[in-house]
Amino acid sequence: MSQQTSTVSPLNFPQPGVEKERKLIGDRGGYFLKRFEGEIGTNVSACYQCERCTNACPVAHYMDIKPHQVIRYIQLGWREELLQSATIWVCLSCEMCSTYCPNEVGVAESINHLRNMAAHSSIPPKEKQLAVFHQTFLEELQRHGRINEFWLMKAYSLKPGIFKEKIKSGLFKDELLKGLTLWKKGRLVLLPGRSRAIKDLKKVFRRKQGEIS
Ligand code: SF4
Ligand code: SF4
């Protein structure tokens, strides 16, 4: 991840001269903001740009659109800009931003929702490796009902292009040595366990994907 430069002015508003308007989405004709708030049940409109969320975020430096700006973009209905951003993949879902918000705006929930929207859209992810990792994480969770670090990293490494990239960057060797150290200390379980709640979890995933109501 490289440090990114913000694409909005220091005043948190669109740069002067950049013509943007709220965009209508879908054939229901609702504004992006309204629909977004309805989908995740958070009051994005309540944000008054105090920036506490951004100041609390441990990875804000790596984001091209800072957390408070994400909320502003949602208010403006800038869907494409949000789904094309590195931010939605860089976010750790640690929820520090939501915790520190004086208006109880669900910043982390909003970013998580945007990430899911991006995963189901045709927009290519700006942080490809993080997007692949995110997808692999969900697949492994569906498979076992819980995450086993060894199997997660194995599945991730086998995704197209990832192994080659890891070898090229030297990351594979690093991970191998770290894994070996953890295994020697008994901190790495090689056989994945299966959660007893796997059936319920699969139902949640299918419901999310719209297969069952
Ligand atoms: S902390 Fe809350 S009110 Fe302040 S900028 Fe962030 S989302 Fe908006
Ligand atoms: S949930 Fe994401 S945006 Fe919020 S503080 Fe954590 S990393 Fe930053």
Side-chain angles (χ1 to χ4, degrees):
M1 284 187 299
S2 59
Q3 291 207 359
Q4 305 283 335
T5 316
S6 168
T7 55
V8 297
S9 77
L11 293 173
N12 313 320
F13 291 100
Q15 288 172 352
V18 179
E19 289 293 323
K20 294 279 181 187
E21 285 180 9
R22 283 188 176 189
K23 293 165 188 163
L24 289 171
I25 56 160
D27 40 22
R28 281 184 242 164
Y31 284 112
F32 181 68
L33 169 64
K34 251 189 176 173
R35 181 165 162 182
F36 194 93
E37 287 184 325
E39 282 171 353
I40 63 165
T42 189
N43 188 8
V44 174
S45 312
C47 171
Y48 51 35
Q49 293 292 294
C50 68
E51 297 188 28
R52 282 183 76 175
C53 49
T54 295
N55 292 334
C57 177
V59 289
H61 284 307
Y62 298 101
M63 293 176 168
D64 49 0
I65 303 175
K66 311 296 178 197
H68 70 285
Q69 293 168 336
V70 167
I71 300 302
R72 190 77 180 111
Y73 276 34
I74 297 170
Q75 290 175 340
L76 292 166
W78 291 8
R79 177 181 178 275
E80 277 70 29
E81 286 79 354
L82 288 163
L83 301 193
Q84 283 165 4
S85 72
T87 296
I88 57 174
W89 302 109
V90 169
C91 170
L92 304 170
S93 300
C94 68
E95 300 199 4
M96 290 293 280
C97 48
S98 302
T99 307
Y100 277 86
C101 176
N103 289 330
E104 297 183 356
V105 175
V107 188
E109 295 82 347
S110 298
I111 294 177
N112 192 38
H113 191 55
L114 290 165
R115 188 162 46 225
N116 288 334
M117 286 171 72
H120 290 99
S121 78
S122 55
I123 295 175
K126 196 161 183 183
E127 294 284 346
K128 192 170 173 282
Q129 291 192 11
L130 291 175
V132 174
F133 184 82
H134 175 74
Q135 187 56 36
T136 313
F137 186 94
L138 294 179
E139 286 167 6
E140 285 300 297
L141 195 60
Q142 278 189 77
R143 190 165 298 140
H144 306 293
R146 59 170 63 129
I147 291 297
N148 172 292
E149 289 86 354
F150 175 73
W151 280 73
L152 172 65
M153 293 317 289
K154 177 176 151 287
Y156 172 62
S157 299
L158 292 176
K159 292 283 178 188
I162 300 295
F163 187 66
K164 208 170 149 190
E165 192 53 47
K166 278 189 178 184
I167 293 284
K168 219 166 88 183
S169 64
L171 191 62
F172 184 71
K173 196 177 161 196
D174 277 2
E175 283 180 358
L176 206 64
L177 292 174
K178 277 182 191 137
L180 204 61
T181 310
L182 287 171
W183 180 68
K184 279 183 186 163
K185 290 184 177 177
R187 305 291 296 271
L188 194 67
V189 182
L190 297 185
L191 291 176
R194 204 173 160 87
S195 165
R196 275 186 288 177
I198 183 81
K199 275 190 184 162
D200 294 333
L201 198 71
K202 280 184 191 263
K203 259 189 203 167
V204 173
F205 275 101
R206 284 170 57 207
R207 188 166 292 129
K208 272 272 177 201
Q209 286 158 3
E211 287 177 29
I212 55 176
S213 54

